[in-house]
Amino acid sequence: GENVEQHPSTLSVQEGDSAVIKCTYSDSASNYFPWYKQELGKGPQLIIDIRSNVGEKKDQRIAVTLNKTAKHFSLHITETQPEDSAVYFCAASLPGYALNFGKGTSLLVTP
Amino acid sequence: DAGVIQSPRHEVTEMGQEVTLRCKPISGHDYLFWYRQTMMRGLELLIYFNNNVPIDDSGMPEDRFSAKMPNASFSTLKIQPSEPRDSAVYFCASSLNAIGYTQYFGPGTRLTVL
C-alpha cells in the first residue's frame, strides 16, 4: 500500500514568516494529495488539495506544490498568523483507494 | 447542514466493558470512514463503507472491533471487550460520491479505557 512520510513533526515560526511542510509518498500511481488542518479538540478539516495532473495550486495564503518525479509534495503557508497554529496532515491516495495520512506536523505561530 | 455528528464526545470505561461509538454522516454522502488517532500511530483508517456496505476493513485491529452501517444515516463502531490500549480519539468522516474527494470529519470521540 501507499506509505506517506511527513516532515517536520514540529515547526515553530514567527508571525508573518512562511511555513513549509513536506511529504513524500511511495507509490508513483498515487493521484490525489489533500492537506488537512486539525485544531485542538476538533476533527481534521480539508484546507487544500491537488491532483496529479497539476503541479501547483494556490488559495490565498496557502499553496501546495507537487513533484511527481521525486514523489513529494509540500504545503506552503505565507504571512503566518497565530490562528494558523494547528496540526497539519498530508495524505495521498491511489485511484480507487482510501487516503493514507502522514503522521502530522504541529505548527506553532508565535506573535 | 450540521456536519458529521458523533456521540458520545467523551467515553470513560473500564477494561472488559463494551463500548459503542456512533456516527451520523452528512446527508447524501455515500462514503463513511472510521479512523483512530493516537500520538504514536497518527490517523489510522479502520474501516470504510460505500452505500452502507463495508468495503475495506483491513485496518480493524482485531476481532474485538466491529462496525455496522444499518442505513445511510447511521453507523456504529463497537469494541467488545475494551482494553486500555484502545484508548484513543475515534473519528468518523464522510465523503460525497467517491474515494479521492474531500472527507468531512466529525468532532471525534475521546475514549479512555481504564
Side-chain angles (χ1 to χ4, degrees), chain A residues 24-111:
Chain A
T24 61
Y25 58 99
S26 59
D27 197 320
S28 57
S30 291
N31 67 345
Y32 178 60
F33 309 91
W35 286 89
Y36 283 78
K37 176 183 179 182
Q38 185 177 22
E39 297 176 340
L40 199 62
K42 297 184 178 180
Q45 182 178 16
L46 180 77
I47 55 172
I48 195 167
D49 58 7
I50 193 168
R51 297 190 183 275
S52 57
N53 59 346
V54 176
E56 184 173 359
K57 185 175 179 181
K58 190 173 181 180
D59 183 4
Q60 298 181 19
R61 295 186 298 107
I62 61 174
V64 58
T65 58
L66 172 65
N67 183 328
K68 289 190 292 182
T69 303
K71 290 187 287 187
H72 69 69
F73 56 112
S74 301
L75 177 71
H76 303 254
I77 306 174
T78 59
E79 301 172 24
T80 53
Q81 302 166 2
E83 51 265 39
D84 294 329
S85 296
V87 179
Y88 291 82
F89 292 93
C90 64
S93 71
L94 293 158
Y97 286 82
L99 291 173
N100 287 281
F101 284 87
K103 289 286 174 62
T105 296
S106 180
L107 173 64
L108 178 64
V109 181
T110 55

Side-chain angles (χ1 to χ4, degrees), chain B residues 36 38 62 64 83-88 90 113:
Chain B
R36 178 172 67 177
T38 60
E62 46 197 278
R64 297 184 298 106
E83 296 182 4
R85 60 195 169 116
D86 301 331
S87 297
Y90 291 81
V113 183

Side-chain angles (χ1 to χ4, degrees), chain A residues 32 36 38 41-46 49 51 87 89 93-99 101-103, chain B residues 9 33 35 37 39-43 45 48 56 91 99-108:
Chain A
Y32 178 60
Y36 283 78
Q38 185 177 22
K42 297 184 178 180
Q45 182 178 16
L46 180 77
D49 58 7
R51 297 190 183 275
V87 179
F89 292 93
S93 71
L94 293 158
Y97 286 82
L99 291 173
F101 284 87
K103 289 286 174 62
Chain B
R9 292 295 311 276
F33 305 82
Y35 291 89
Q37 185 176 40
M39 288 295 293
M40 288 297 293
R41 302 172 72 93
L43 262 174
L45 176 65
Y48 74 92
D56 183 356
F91 288 103
I99 293 289
Y101 286 83
T102 304
Q103 291 186 22
Y104 295 86
F105 283 76

